Amino acid sequence: MALTKIGSGGIENITNTANATFLTIDASEQITVASEGGAVTTSVQQGLAKAWIQHNAGTAITNSLNYASLTDVGTGNYRPNYTNNMANNDYAAAGFAGNASTNVCSGNEMNVTYVDTFYRVGSTGSVADVSEAQLMVLGDLA
């Protein structure tokens, strides 16, 4: 099986008799990667997290991707604001809190510029401030 590689010297042929994973880029610049066995493909753009954040109590962001700021809206309610907006409000967000007693994240409002999140005590459902929280967003960027 021959693979084509584009390196600093231009296009080069690589011979490989083993099972290979192929990368395809179409005219719209969408990237598709074949699975290990080659039976299915994955769209790289659809499969990547578009934003993620880790923060502690208040508005201190520990680490993030595609978040410009974090607003403390109220008890247990945080609003991470995107650097690059989402294309629409039809995306998925998942998160959790680091506290053993506060372990449920629920979205209140999802729109193109932010997603409001509430952190709740697992046993009671009441909102509570958290010492550490994480949130990830999957969907299409604008």
Side-chain angles (χ1 to χ4, degrees):
M1 173 179 313
L3 299 175
T4 301
K5 173 184 174 185
I6 301 175
S8 60
I11 297 176
E12 308 164 14
N13 281 331
I14 301 170
T15 305
N16 185 355
T17 57
N19 194 5
T21 299
F22 290 96
L23 173 90
T24 306
I25 303 173
D26 66 19
S28 66
E29 298 182 6
Q30 297 293 308
I31 300 172
T32 304
V33 178
S35 67
E36 290 83 359
V40 296
T41 60
T42 299
S43 168
V44 174
Q45 285 87 344
Q46 292 294 316
L48 295 176
K50 300 310 187 297
W52 60 265
I53 188 169
Q54 180 178 21
H55 64 90
N56 56 25
T59 57
I61 297 173
T62 309
N63 207 342
S64 69
L65 169 72
N66 195 27
Y67 281 107
S69 63
L70 177 67
T71 305
D72 187 346
V73 180
T75 302
N77 182 203
Y78 300 92
R79 179 178 295 155
N81 303 287
Y82 302 124
T83 301
N84 298 296
N85 291 344
M86 301 301 289
N88 53 48
N89 62 353
D90 298 326
Y91 55 86
F96 64 94
N99 301 37
S101 63
T102 310
N103 56 9
V104 178
C105 171
S106 62
N108 178 44
E109 179 183 354
M110 296 170 67
N111 67 45
V112 298
T113 59
Y114 64 84
V115 56
D116 259 356
T117 54
F118 284 96
Y119 293 94
R120 301 178 183 279
V121 177
S123 59
T124 65
S126 60
V127 294
D129 285 330
V130 297
S131 61
E132 183 180 297
Q134 297 84 25
L135 178 69
M136 175 180 63
V137 172
L138 299 142
D140 296 326
L141 291 173

